[in-house]
Amino acid sequence: MSTSRTGRPPSQRAVRRPATPKPARENPLLRFYLRAHKAWDRPLTAYYLILGGSLLITVLGLVMVYSASQITALQMSLPGSFFFRKQFLAACIGTVLLLIASRMPVKLHRALAYPILAGAVFLMALVQVPGIGMSVNGNQNWISLGGSFQIQPSEFGKLALVLWAADLLARKQDKKLLTQWKHMLVPLVPVAFLLLGLIMLGGDMGTAIILTAILFGLLWLAGAPTRLFVGVLSVAAFIGFVLIKTSPNRMARLACIGATEPKAGAADCWQAVHGIYALASGGIFGSGLGASVEKWGQLPEAHTDFIFAVTGEELGLAGTLSVLALFAALGYAGIRVAGRTEDPFVRYAAGGVTTWITAQAVINIGAVLGLLPIAGVPLPLFSYGGSALLPTMFAIGLLIAFARDDPAARAALSMRQPRFGRKRAGGPASGRGPRRWNTMRRRAPVARSSGER
C-alpha cells in the first residue's frame, strides 16, 4: 500500500476544499462618487451651498479689499485701513439684511416688490437732479450721503427689477396669461427699459448690461417663444451697438479686448494690460498676501473692478480657481432652488437673482482676463463698494429663504436639535437619577431615503 510523504494512506488524506473567490475590492473612485452623489442629492445641499459659498466669498473679499486698497488709501492721504473699514461696515449691515431677508415669508417679499421698485426709480431719477447727483469716473449715478459715504441707486434697481418682475410674472402665470405675447412683454419690458434709460442717462453701460441680462433671464424662465426672445434680443443688441458706436470711450474699451501691451491712443488698455500682468506674475500659488506689485499705482481700480487681478497676483492660480469654484457653486445652488420649487414667484425670483450674480461675475472676470470689454462692474460680494454689497446680500438672503422653504429642506431642518438644548425632565430631585443634558439629536422613527442626518 503506497503512502504519501506524510506517511498517511491516500484514504486518510485531508480533502482540500476548493478555494473560495475573494470578494472584489470596491473601486475607491466609485465609492467616492457614490458618497458624493448621495451628499449632493440631500435636501439641504442648496441651502448650505448658498450660505457657505456667499460667506466664504464675502470674507475672502474683505481680506483682498484690505490688501488691495492700502496703497490707494495712502496715496489719497488716508489711513491704510480706510476702505477696509467702510467695506466691513457695509458687510455688517448687509449681514443684517441677509438675516432679515432669509427669515421673511414669501408673501412679505412679494408685498415689498412695488415699494422697492418705486423707491429705486425715485432715487435713480434723483441722481439726475443738479446739486444732488454726483459724477464718479465720468458716470452720473451717485448720491452723496455726507462725508465719504455715497450710494449708487442703480445697484438697488437690480433687486427691484427681480422682485417686481417675479411677482408680475407669477400673477400672470396663475391667471394663465403668459401664453399671450403681449402679457409676457407688457409691462415687464417697458418698465425694464425705463430703468435702463435712467441708468444710461448717467452713462453706466455696465449696470445696464446686467439689467438686460436679468430681463432676458426672466423672459427665458417665463417660456418666451424663440421668435419673441430673438426679437427683444435684436432690439437690445441694436441699441447697445448704437450706444457703443457713438461713444469714443466705449469704442476704445472694445478695442482693448485681448490686448497684451498698451496701445497708442487707447488709454483704457493700460488698465486691461496691467490686469493681465498681475495675473501672469502670480503663478500657481501667488506672490503672497499683501505682496502685489501692480497695486502700487500701476493697476487702476485695484480694489474695485480689478480686485480679481490682485487676487491672482497674490494668491495665484489656486486662489482664482477657488473664487471661480465658489461662484460656480453659488450659481448651481440658485439654479437648483429655481428648478425644484413649485411656487412660480420663487422660481422667477431665484432665477433672476442667479442670473444677476452669475452674469455680473462673468462680465467682471471676463474683463480682467481680457476676454470682454471693461464694463466697470464690481465682482459680486467681493469687490469694494457698499452700494453693490447691500442689495446683493439681501438677494442672497432671498435665495436662503427660498432654499429653506423647500418641503424636503424644511422637514430636514425640523429634525435638527440645538447641541445644547433643554434639560431632560426628572433631575436629581425627582429621584430619576442624575440630571442629563439633551445633547443628542432626536432620532427619526423611520429611515430617510435622502440620507439627511
Side-chain angles (χ1 to χ4, degrees):
M1 183 176 182
S2 62
T3 60
S4 63
R5 288 180 297 177
T6 59
R8 296 181 180 178
S11 59
Q12 296 182 1
R13 293 178 187 173
V15 179
R16 292 185 178 181
R17 297 180 178 179
T20 58
K22 295 182 179 180
R25 299 181 63 181
E26 187 178 358
N27 189 347
L29 294 178
L30 178 62
R31 183 170 64 251
F32 174 78
Y33 169 77
L34 293 176
R35 289 182 178 180
H37 185 271
K38 184 178 180 181
W40 200 253
D41 198 43
R42 290 181 177 181
L44 290 178
T45 298
Y47 171 76
Y48 286 133
L49 283 178
I50 296 170
L51 182 61
S54 59
L55 178 63
L56 289 175
I57 294 173
T58 305
V59 172
L60 183 58
L62 286 172
V63 174
M64 294 311 304
V65 165
Y66 181 65
S67 174
S69 65
Q70 289 184 26
I71 306 303
T72 304
L74 294 175
Q75 289 175 345
M76 299 172 63
S77 301
L78 297 171
S81 60
F82 175 78
F83 293 105
F84 169 76
R85 292 201 303 264
K86 291 182 63 177
Q87 186 74 356
F88 182 76
L89 176 62
C92 292
I93 299 175
T95 302
V96 175
L97 293 177
L98 185 148
L99 294 175
I100 293 174
S102 65
R103 293 294 179 177
M104 287 169 55
V106 174
K107 290 184 179 180
L108 186 55
H109 285 300
R110 300 187 67 168
L112 290 176
Y114 282 85
I116 292 178
L117 177 65
V121 171
F122 174 75
L123 290 177
M124 291 166 67
L126 201 62
V127 167
Q128 306 305 323
V129 177
I132 298 178
M134 293 181 58
S135 178
V136 177
N137 294 331
N139 293 337
Q140 184 81 13
N141 282 316
W142 299 82
I143 295 177
S144 176
L145 300 179
S148 61
F149 292 94
Q150 303 165 353
I151 186 173
Q152 188 177 4
S154 57
E155 293 290 342
F156 295 88
K158 304 172 186 176
L159 177 64
L161 179 62
V162 168
L163 286 177
W164 174 80
D167 178 70
L168 175 71
L169 293 174
R171 286 189 289 107
K172 289 196 173 188
Q173 180 172 330
D174 292 338
K175 296 179 181 179
K176 303 185 185 304
L177 297 176
L178 291 181
T179 55
Q180 306 176 30
W181 68 268
K182 59 181 181 180
H183 284 287
M184 184 174 292
L185 295 183
V186 180
L188 174 60
V189 175
V191 171
F193 280 6
L194 171 64
L195 295 175
L196 289 171
L198 292 173
I199 292 173
M200 290 308 301
L201 282 176
D204 190 357
M205 188 72 177
T207 305
I209 293 175
I210 304 300
L211 240 68
T212 305
I214 295 174
L215 174 62
F216 287 127
L218 291 170
L219 288 176
W220 183 77
L221 288 171
T226 304
R227 60 181 182 275
L228 184 63
F229 198 85
V230 172
V232 177
L233 181 61
S234 301
V235 173
F238 175 75
I239 295 175
F241 173 79
V242 172
L243 292 174
I244 293 175
K245 193 69 176 178
T246 55
S247 173
N249 181 35
R250 298 185 186 119
M251 286 297 297
R253 294 189 180 191
L254 193 65
C256 292
I257 296 178
T260 56
E261 59 182 11
K263 298 180 181 179
D268 289 335
C269 288
W270 178 271
Q271 187 181 27
V273 169
H274 280 273
I276 297 296
Y277 289 170
L279 291 171
S281 60
I284 302 297
F285 298 106
S287 58
L289 194 62
S292 170
V293 176
E294 290 293 333
K295 68 182 180 183
W296 286 76
Q298 298 295 325
L299 180 62
E301 307 295 338
H303 60 298
T304 54
D305 300 345
F306 271 68
I307 194 171
F308 188 76
V310 179
T311 304
E313 185 178 5
E314 295 188 350
L315 303 183
L317 181 64
T320 55
L321 290 180
S322 299
V323 174
L324 291 176
L326 290 174
F327 276 109
L330 194 60
Y332 166 80
I335 294 174
R336 176 168 171 164
V337 170
R340 293 196 174 191
T341 183
E342 297 181 357
D343 188 338
F345 172 79
V346 173
R347 180 170 63 254
Y348 293 131
V353 171
T354 305
T355 303
W356 162 15
I357 295 177
T358 305
Q360 187 164 328
V362 169
I363 291 174
N364 177 276
I365 295 174
V368 175
L369 295 176
L371 303 177
L372 295 174
I374 299 174
V377 296
L379 190 58
L381 301 173
F382 202 83
S383 296
Y384 169 79
S387 295
L389 184 63
L390 295 182
T392 305
M393 294 194 74
F394 187 90
I396 294 295
L398 281 177
L399 290 180
I400 294 175
F402 298 156
R404 290 170 58 93
D405 196 57
D406 181 73
R410 200 163 52 236
L413 287 172
S414 65
M415 293 180 179
R416 294 184 175 272
Q417 293 258 350
R419 188 171 295 276
F420 297 99
R422 296 180 179 178
K423 299 176 182 179
R424 291 181 181 271
S430 61
R432 295 184 181 180
R435 181 176 296 174
R436 300 174 60 190
W437 290 91
N438 184 17
T439 59
M440 299 297 293
R441 295 175 179 170
R442 190 189 334 172
R443 297 185 180 274
V446 294
R448 294 185 294 275
S449 59
S450 63
E452 183 63 35
R453 294 184 178 179

